[in-house]
């Protein structure tokens, strides 16, 4: 009997690893190939800017599966191999090695890559990005010296987490952000200010409303950051965290529908037959939001990978989870559920100055679009129920800690 064509998963990150795990859990016993451009087996990225970077967790803790798991589950894991071209009509995939693979079903879990800084001098030694385990190894080695002048470009999640890790070793840290507050586009000014206060309280020199004009080098290594409109910061190390770009090249060149990510329906099917996409690369139609949504969240990779695998096996799938994100910085732990818009009204339950509160974003009809619990735990289900309900809520009740959140989701 000829072997059936394999299910090929392109991208050995969290979404890809969870997809192959699900194929086996669902009883698929045909061949499975997991291709990864990185030399490492799949690992999780959140520890790279948190526990691992600050020295509180071992490198080994980041991996999704034990080393022997793939062979043990008859998954052909091929690391250090990039897929270079896709021919969906012929069910063929070309690899960087020159090989051609035929597939029965293909899953694209190619993730995202850091956006590069465009400023002059951005290619000097000492300018770093943080996406991969080797990036984190290098950064950790420098930061742990504790005597560096670190300039972080961009006060997004990665930039702020790196700033916190850098401070934990005692380095001097400045953060440069062109917008008026950290996390301005995600959280808006009020909640962005919570993170501004947090970092300033921990000794970070936070420069908002400030861009980078150029990086100045001495002997080929970065020595200072020239600011826009004015000023200069000395720097032994610059860490750039200015967002990521989805890895859509393979899909776009193959003629698949691509927007801000590979466009997939709620069953995570691309526009090409037998090709699915999940994780950071996928812009999935969200029945909850009534549009395509692409999020760069750990939980999305964790859950969409398995959903795409089930869909590829012909199971009935509707991916309709509420987006969920978390961060840890110093003694602040937070979870964010939903998709708020920066201009929306924010209502708080608890006092942001006190460090323990839940913030809610409300649209023009007083419907909760997102909630963020800061150092308050076990409320995610209730927050997500409110987001999912899409019903106007009483803002008075929302702000009142004596009214159980669970009572509000009913409208
Ligand atoms: C430092 C860091 C910290 C983070 N912290 C948090 C957090 O606290 N909370 C949170 O919710 N999210 C966090 N995230 C985001 C989260 O890690 C991502 O959403 C998640 O990693 C996405 O997983 P993925 O599998 O979709 O993509 P990726 O993790 O990007 O994996 C995709 C893989 O595909 C490979 N690939 C790409 N193209 C090809 C090709 N053509 N052929 C073969 N392989 C290819 C890539 O090399 C990569 O290894 C963090 C991200 C980073 C970088």
């Amino acid at each position: 009997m000829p072997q059936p064509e394999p299910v090929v998963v392109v991208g050995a990150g969290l979404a890809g690893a969870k997809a192959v795990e699900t194929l086996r859990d669902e009883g698929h016993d045909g061949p499975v190939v997991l291709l990864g451009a990185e030399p490492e087996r799949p690992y999780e990225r959140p520890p790279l800017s948190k526990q691992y970077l600050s020295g509180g967790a071992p490198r080994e803790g980041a991996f999704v599966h034990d080393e022997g798991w793939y062979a043990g589950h008859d998954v052909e894991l091929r690391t250090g191999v990039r897929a270079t071209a896709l021919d969906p009509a012929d069910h063929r995939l070309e690899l960087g090695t020159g090989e051609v693979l035929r597939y029965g079903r293909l899953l694209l879990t190619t993730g995202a890559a850091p956006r590069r800084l465009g400023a002059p001098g951005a290619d000097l030694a000492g300018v770093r990005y943080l996406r991969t385990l080797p990036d984190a190894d290098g950064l950790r080695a420098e930061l742990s010296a504790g005597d560096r002048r670190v300039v972080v470009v961009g006060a997004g999640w990665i930039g702020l987490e790196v700033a916190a890790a850098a401070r934990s070793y005692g380095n001097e840290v400045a953060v440069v952000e062109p917008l008026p507050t950290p996390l301005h586009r995600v959280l808006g000014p009020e909640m962005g200010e919570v993170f501004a206060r947090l970092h300033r309280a921990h000794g970070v020199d936070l420069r908002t409303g400030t861009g980078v004009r150029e990086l100045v080098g001495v002997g080929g290594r970065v020595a200072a950051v020239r600011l826009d409109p004015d000023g200069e910061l000395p720097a032994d190390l610059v860490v750039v965290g200015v967002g990521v770009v989805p890895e859509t090249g393979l899909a776009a060149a193959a003629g698949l529908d691509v927007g801000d990510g590979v466009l997939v329906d709620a069953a995570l099917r691309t526009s090409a037959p037998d090709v699915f996409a999940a994780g950071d690369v996928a812009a999935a139609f969200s029945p909850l939001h009534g549009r395509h949504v692409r999020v760069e969240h750990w939980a999305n990779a964790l859950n969409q990978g398995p959903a795409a695998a089930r869909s590829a096996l012909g199971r009935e799938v509707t991916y309709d989870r509420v987006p969920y994100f978390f961060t840890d910085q110093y003694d602040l732990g937070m979870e964010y559920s939903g998709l708020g818009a920066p201009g929306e009204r924010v209502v708080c339950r608890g006092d942001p100055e006190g460090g323990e509160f839940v913030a809610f974003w409300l649209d023009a009809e007083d419907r909760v679009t997102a909630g963020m619990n800061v150092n308050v735990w076990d409320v995610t289900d209730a927050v997500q129920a409110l987001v999912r309900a899409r019903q106007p809520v009483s803002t008075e009740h929302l702000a009142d800690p004596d009214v159980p959140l669970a009572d509000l989701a009913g409208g």
Side-chain angles (χ1 to χ4, degrees):
M1 279 253 297
Q3 272 276 82
E5 302 293 5
V7 178
V8 176
V9 180
V10 184
L14 180 60
K18 285 296 181 186
V20 298
E21 182 184 311
T22 302
L23 290 170
R24 290 302 183 225
D25 285 352
E26 291 280 325
H28 175 70
D29 58 5
V32 172
V33 180
L34 175 58
L35 291 172
E38 293 186 57
E40 312 277 352
R41 71 181 190 273
Y43 55 87
E44 310 209 13
R45 300 189 195 273
L48 274 48
S49 51
K50 306 179 188 64
Q51 309 91 319
Y52 176 62
L53 191 61
S54 55
R59 194 176 196 271
E60 199 55 28
F63 291 101
V64 182
H65 296 113
D66 294 339
E67 202 169 354
W69 185 92
Y70 299 92
H73 289 78
D74 203 14
V75 171
E76 186 185 344
L77 170 64
R78 300 190 56 185
T79 54
V81 177
R82 183 171 281 278
T84 50
L86 164 65
D87 178 350
D90 223 15
H91 284 55
R92 278 160 41 103
L93 188 69
E94 285 176 28
L95 309 186
T97 56
E99 290 162 90
V100 173
L101 280 188
R102 296 193 66 84
Y103 64 83
R105 301 270 195 280
L106 186 86
L107 271 60
L108 291 171
T109 51
T110 47
R115 183 174 288 125
R116 300 274 142 181
L117 187 66
D123 52 357
L124 286 164
V127 179
R128 292 179 176 271
Y129 293 80
L130 177 54
R131 182 76 190 175
T132 67
L133 205 35
D135 290 343
D137 294 338
L139 201 51
R140 179 171 141 144
E142 290 221 45
L143 294 181
S144 60
D147 60 357
R148 301 290 199 270
R149 292 165 304 175
V150 182
V151 176
V152 176
V153 180
W157 300 114
I158 301 287
L160 294 182
E161 289 179 1
V162 169
R167 285 297 297 143
S168 75
Y169 290 111
N171 299 286
E172 257 179 52
V173 180
V175 176
V176 179
E177 166 59 51
L179 294 176
T181 66
L183 302 164
H184 202 263
R185 281 200 191 92
V186 196
L187 303 183
E190 218 177 318
M191 288 301 119
E193 205 43 52
V194 170
F195 285 85
R197 279 200 303 271
L198 175 75
H199 281 267
R200 287 190 172 124
H202 284 85
V204 171
D205 176 5
L206 173 65
R207 309 281 183 103
T208 53
T210 305
V212 170
R213 190 190 297 277
E214 74 172 304
L215 308 185
V216 184
V218 173
R221 193 179 161 97
V222 71
V225 179
R226 240 170 233 152
L227 304 175
D228 184 14
D230 49 42
E232 187 168 304
L233 290 167
D236 304 307
L237 180 64
V238 171
V239 186
V240 180
V242 294
V244 296
V245 181
E247 288 273 17
T248 54
L250 194 63
L256 273 60
D257 290 347
V258 169
D260 172 33
V262 177
L263 297 180
V264 291
D265 64 11
L268 307 178
R269 293 176 290 225
T270 69
S271 57
D274 300 325
V275 183
F276 303 77
D280 276 15
V281 76
F285 183 80
S286 160
L288 181 63
H289 298 96
R291 61 183 165 91
H292 286 86
V293 168
R294 190 179 71 78
V295 290
E296 297 150 2
H297 299 170
W298 168 87
N300 185 58
L302 183 77
N303 294 310
Q304 255 186 11
R310 278 194 292 274
S311 195
L313 293 177
R315 314 273 193 271
E316 195 73 36
V317 167
T318 305
Y319 189 83
D320 66 349
R321 285 183 177 256
V322 174
Y324 166 90
F325 180 84
F326 66 92
T327 186
D328 296 308
Q329 299 170 30
Y330 313 105
D331 50 359
L332 180 150
M334 92 56 165
E335 297 172 290
Y336 175 99
S337 295
L339 277 182
E344 285 178 343
R345 182 175 170 203
V346 178
V347 170
C348 285
R349 169 175 288 223
D351 178 12
E353 300 266 353
E356 286 180 21
F357 65 100
V358 187
F360 298 94
W361 281 256
L362 300 167
D363 68 10
E365 278 90 52
D366 280 348
R367 298 177 302 192
V368 175
T369 58
M372 172 173 87
N373 45 301
V374 175
N375 290 344
V376 172
W377 305 110
D378 300 324
V379 294
T380 299
D381 286 350
V383 170
Q384 294 199 352
L386 276 168
V387 171
R388 204 174 272 291
R390 296 175 63 84
Q391 295 291 326
V393 289
S394 148
T395 52
E396 230 170 85
H397 288 165
L398 208 50
D400 183 351
D402 292 331
V403 179
L405 285 180
D407 291 357
L408 297 175

